[in-house]
Amino acid sequence: GGRKAFHRSVFVRALPFEEPAPWRSVADGLPRGIGEGAAVTIADGVACLGGHDGTQPMADAFVLRWDRTAGVIASRALPALPAACANGAATLANGCIYVAGGESAAGPLGTLWRLDLGRAGTEAAARWEVLPTPPGRPRFGGILIAVTTSAGERLLYGAGVAGPAKSQDDYLRDLWLFDPARATWTPA
């Protein structure tokens, strides 16, 4: 019966973890109080994708990077997602960020989007590509993982829920493989 709270703080800790350094809270590290977004580590930081601000799902996408010298969180914008999305799944494969599923204000999403980071800096290509809809029911809270199969690199997607989970039986059990080169889905 409680209410969720969304904060602007970011927690940072120096690497390598062998150093005896505590976690540090950086106030106002986020542009506003947000949560429930997808995140994936990329070369220059952590890509934060969508999320919820306590009022509605968001389409915002940005990269956070810890500037150790200045002791601040640096942020750079990425192109906004094609639609507002909270609780999506994300992975990095072959220089591209992929975001699958999630939850809009209207309910679960049956979506797959790709952003080519090699082209994201060029104005003409600074947009997400909408890929073929994943099979199965639209879902949020699923998994998306880059895997290597005997047929080559694929994205493994599935699990999650299609609506409010009331029991373990509400969690989806289907898994699918996406071939990024052919833009096709097959059962896993």
Side-chain angles (χ1 to χ4, degrees), residues 13-14 17-23:
R13 187 176 188 290
F17 281 135
E18 291 82 38
E19 295 178 16
W23 283 93

Side-chain angles (χ1 to χ4, degrees), residues 13 21 27 30 49 55 58 62-63 85 88 95 99 110 125 128-129 132 134 137 141 147 150-151 174 182:
R13 187 176 188 290
L30 295 171
L49 310 157
T55 304
M58 310 173 339
F62 52 92
V63 177
C85 170
V99 176
W128 290 85
E129 179 182 2
R137 296 170 65 185
V147 296
S150 59
D174 56 334
R182 293 189 170 142

Side-chain angles (χ1 to χ4, degrees), residues 33-68:
I34 57 177
E36 301 177 353
V40 64
T41 301
I42 61 174
D44 63 334
V46 176
C48 302
L49 310 157
H52 204 286
D53 66 3
T55 304
Q56 62 190 1
M58 310 173 339
D60 300 4
F62 52 92
V63 177
L64 294 179
R65 182 182 55 80
W66 174 243
D67 183 333
R68 184 181 276 194

Side-chain angles (χ1 to χ4, degrees), residues 8 19 26 28 35 52 63 70 77 81 85 94 107 110 116 120 125 136 139 141 172 179 183:
R8 295 183 60 195
E19 295 178 16
V26 179
D28 301 331
H52 204 286
V63 177
L81 297 171
C85 170
N94 294 323
D116 185 337
R139 66 193 70 215
L172 302 171
D179 179 345

Side-chain angles (χ1 to χ4, degrees), residues 80-103:
L81 297 171
C85 170
N87 299 302
T91 195
L92 179 71
N94 294 323
C96 295
I97 296 174
Y98 292 84
V99 176
E103 187 175 22

Side-chain angles (χ1 to χ4, degrees), residues 4 9 26 35 38 58 90 98 121 143 164 169-170 176:
K4 292 181 183 179
S9 297
V26 179
M58 310 173 339
Y98 292 84
I143 60 162
D169 293 333
D170 292 325
W176 302 91

